[in-house]
Amino acid sequence: MSVRNTLIAAQATLIMLATSGCAVTRNQETVGAYVDDTAITMAVKSRFADNKDVDASSISVETLNGTVMLSGFAKNMNEKTMAEGIARNVKGVKQVKNQVVVRP
């Protein structure tokens, strides 16, 4: 595993620990669904980090009930499309909302 992947995984773990239970306490989803969504988010971020055509640090990933929301910035339309395709191919993803903005 590369240093970049390790850093992204560590960051995701810290965020997950710091915010664990937030969605569940607001009655947005079950504990199981929250765990599944966290796994989906981490899988998408990991695949972004492994892909040379997608800048993982510029695209944010959030998941709620299997729906992945992508936001942030892409260098070109190809990167935006690639990010969406990667997210769609992660197990458990029901829908992808791509709000990534292409920088001119």
Side-chain angles (χ1 to χ4, degrees), residues 13-95:
T13 301
L14 288 174
I15 290 169
M16 185 175 66
L17 290 173
T19 61
S20 64
C22 294
V24 176
T25 59
R26 292 180 296 185
N27 297 320
Q28 290 182 338
E29 59 185 333
T30 65
V31 174
Y34 180 77
V35 170
D36 291 344
D37 287 343
T38 302
I40 289 170
T41 298
M42 291 178 64
V44 172
K45 288 181 178 183
S46 176
R47 290 186 186 186
F48 283 178
D50 289 340
N51 189 300
K52 295 177 184 175
D53 297 324
V54 175
D55 184 358
S57 63
S58 296
I59 300 176
S60 298
V61 181
E62 295 179 40
T63 308
L64 182 62
N65 295 325
T67 298
V68 175
M69 172 72 151
L70 303 177
S71 60
F73 298 96
K75 295 177 209 94
N76 52 51
M77 194 62 179
N78 184 49
E79 182 180 13
K80 177 179 178 175
T81 304
M82 178 86 60
E84 183 175 338
I86 290 169
R88 285 190 190 284
N89 289 322
V90 170
K91 183 179 178 186
V93 173
K94 297 175 184 173
Q95 180 181 10

Side-chain angles (χ1 to χ4, degrees), residues 1-14 49:
M1 183 179 265
S2 71
V3 173
R4 186 176 180 189
N5 287 353
T6 303
L7 290 174
I8 290 172
Q11 180 183 17
T13 301
L14 288 174

